[in-house]
Amino acid sequence: DDDDDDDDDDNGGIMTTTTTNNNNVIWTHYKALGPEYMLDTGMTKEFSTVSEAKSAGCSRSSQISEALSAELLSRLFGLTVTHSEMELAYRSSASSRLDFRCARAPRTNTTENNIITHSGGIAVSVTRAVAPSALADRQRCYYQQGGTWGGPHRKGENKQKNDHPQGFSREDARRLLCKKLRALRSARRNIVPSMAFDRAILHVWCASERIAQVVQAEAAMLDLNLNDNDECREEMSASSISDGAVLLLLTLTEFGSKLRYSYIYGIC
């Protein structure tokens, strides 16, 4: 199904819903209208709730990607943030953390097709899918600051020298999806009852349409749900994603500047 629900408000970017697949995979598009400072105008409170909240030590570009995720979920699907990352409480200090938790807002006419109809708590995990070669400068920045970046890196290779001429691979996609899926399951096991959730959105910012296609193809081979079975069980069926409780949200991004200098994938 194609859905051309444009949102052309005067802010830092245009967000549109483009394609849905069995209501469990949603493709959206984000077109930046200018540099990062333009994000300060025209956004909903969901953006500021996440962008101004205390984080667990993530980079500025990572926090922007999470705040824009909250903005997109609000504007296109009528979701509102109930808890930011550090407002969520867990029974174990070793638990993985959600980026934020949300729920449906009282309004229901945000999108024509009302794709996300769940009325309970919804966990959100945000990540970025980009070819490893585009990450070299950002990784070096993180290491200079004593930090790490948990994105795709190929087995047996030094993260600090991750200058790959190849593009984003199926292996990269599987590693990224499995890591985030394990984290969602860990959070569900350990979150306090008052903040519990039984649905989740895995939001992947994709640097190109080809990368989004690779992520979707690999997701179709995995059991995307929150059950405590095999942590990243392989399902040799392209329809397995439609049986899970994890909705995969793929957002194609368009920036006027080079990818590595954009405020979602940017350096530091």
Side-chain angles (χ1 to χ4, degrees), residues 47-187:
F47 179 85
S48 58
T49 295
V50 176
S51 66
E52 297 172 7
K54 182 179 178 181
S55 72
C58 65
S59 68
R60 176 60 180 164
S61 60
S62 178
Q63 191 162 15
I64 289 176
S65 73
E66 293 165 10
L68 281 172
S69 175
E71 178 75 12
L72 185 147
L73 291 173
S74 172
R75 287 167 56 187
L76 296 185
F77 306 113
L79 301 183
T80 184
V81 176
T82 62
H83 299 83
S84 61
E85 181 177 9
M86 300 306 291
E87 291 174 333
L88 291 163
Y90 302 85
R91 292 173 290 188
S92 169
S93 60
S95 175
S96 297
R97 305 190 66 89
L98 305 176
D99 290 317
F100 56 92
R101 181 184 181 276
C102 61
R104 280 203 64 81
R107 56 194 173 93
T108 58
N109 60 349
T110 307
T111 56
E112 292 292 335
N113 51 16
N114 278 333
I115 298 169
I116 303 174
T117 59
H118 183 61
S119 59
I122 302 173
V124 181
S125 181
V126 184
T127 190
R128 294 161 289 177
V130 57
S133 58
L135 297 171
D137 288 338
R138 186 171 64 181
Q139 289 173 336
R140 278 193 286 269
C141 174
Y142 284 3
Y143 277 94
Q144 289 168 4
Q145 296 177 353
T148 59
W149 181 76
H153 62 281
R154 294 186 174 91
K155 185 177 181 180
E157 294 178 319
N158 190 322
K159 292 184 185 180
Q160 292 175 271
K161 298 180 180 179
N162 199 17
D163 290 308
H164 296 290
Q166 306 97 320
F168 191 84
S169 69
R170 289 283 293 264
E171 180 185 350
D172 294 327
R174 174 174 289 249
R175 186 175 295 111
L176 188 63
L177 290 169
C178 285
K179 177 183 176 180
K180 302 304 282 188
L181 189 57
R182 292 186 187 104
L184 283 169
R185 290 171 176 170
S186 171

Side-chain angles (χ1 to χ4, degrees), residues 17-31:
T17 308
T18 52
T19 306
T20 65
N21 175 26
N22 295 328
N23 288 339
N24 285 87
V25 181
I26 302 176
W27 286 53
T28 61
H29 182 262
Y30 176 77
K31 180 179 181 180

Side-chain angles (χ1 to χ4, degrees), residues 225-247:
N225 63 54
L226 296 169
N227 299 329
D228 275 326
N229 49 21
D230 293 343
E231 293 226 318
C232 205
R233 181 161 58 91
E234 184 170 334
E235 291 287 331
M236 299 305 293
S237 168
S239 64
S240 64
I241 191 172
S242 64
D243 300 326
V246 179
L247 183 146

